[in-house]
């Protein structure tokens, strides 16, 4: 079983500057920074918090929407069985793939495209994490969530709230709102 302490320990060891090109000297600061293309590497404490909320298990198949720098992806891939990550900006995807390859991860699959549609061919996913702000929860993501699965997604317009979505054993969906956050927008069809 994966404990929160295991995740926190890896989070503390993971060198965030490896995922940054600008502002590397500020990697230790608990704030979001630009990674170019109008996108950001998220605030580390929020990356940790969302990872803990996700409740990953050793055999979890995880879908991540918004690869960005790959920082969150590393935290997921360290503990999950497989991570499927989708990014819409090609240069960001390429750099993230290089970095995560250098760290030795071999359980990550990458897709360039609109993650609001999920990754239908590989569904269902035990866990889904969205790291960009959606106006509403994309219905394709709810569909691709496995029975008994969970999703973490920031929902809202200018500011958002983290939504925790659960699909129970009868495929009934429940949604709980958590902390307020500010993320860059999820740009896509859904
Ligand atoms: N978790 C990332 C990290 O630690 O670096 C930060 C992700 S950044 C806040 C949000 C990312 O979502 C951006 O890289 C953006 O290009 C991506 N994005 C936005 N809309 C998307 C979509 N529809 N499909 C895939 N990626 C999307």
């Amino acid at each position: 079983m994966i404990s929160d302490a295991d995740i926190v320990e890896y989070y503390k060891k993971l060198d965030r500057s490896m995922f940054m090109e600008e502002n590397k000297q500020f990697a230790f600061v608990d704030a979001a920074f630009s990674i170019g293309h109008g996108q950001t590497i998220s605030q580390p404490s929020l990356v940790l918090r969302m990872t803990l909320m996700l409740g990953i298990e050793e055999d979890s198949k995880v879908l991540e929407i918004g690869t960005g720098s790959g920082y969150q992806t590393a935290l997921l891939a360290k503990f999950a069985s497989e991570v499927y990550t989708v990014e819409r900006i090609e240069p960001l995807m390429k750099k993230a793939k290089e970095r995560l390859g250098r760290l030795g991860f071999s359980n990550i699959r990458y897709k360039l495209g609109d993650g609001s549609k999920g990754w239908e061919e590989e569904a269902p996913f035990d866990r889904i994490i969205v790291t960009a702000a959606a106006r509403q929860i994309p219905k394709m993501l709810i569909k691709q969530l496995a029975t008994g699965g969970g999703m973490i997604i920031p929902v809202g317009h200018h500011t958002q709230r983290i939504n925790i979505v659960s699909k129970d054993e009868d495929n009934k969906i429940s949604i709980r709102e958590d902390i307020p956050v500010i993320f860059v927008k999820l740009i896509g069809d859904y």
Side-chain angles (χ1 to χ4, degrees), residues 46 48-56 127 152 162-164 176 178-179:
L46 184 57
L48 173 65
R49 185 158 180 172
M50 287 173 73
T51 309
L52 295 174
M53 280 179 185
L54 200 58
I56 306 170
R127 300 288 184 270
I152 302 289
I162 295 286
N163 279 218
I164 305 172
R176 188 162 61 80
D178 200 83
I179 50 165

Side-chain angles (χ1 to χ4, degrees), residues 33-77:
F33 287 104
S34 165
I35 51 171
H37 309 274
Q39 305 304 322
T40 53
I41 181 170
S42 307
Q43 185 184 358
S45 59
L46 184 57
V47 170
L48 173 65
R49 185 158 180 172
M50 287 173 73
T51 309
L52 295 174
M53 280 179 185
L54 200 58
I56 306 170
E57 292 171 14
E58 273 109 345
D59 59 354
S60 295
K61 181 176 180 181
V62 178
L63 174 66
E64 179 192 37
I65 308 302
T67 317
S69 68
Y71 177 62
Q72 169 86 73
T73 321
L75 216 57
L76 300 170

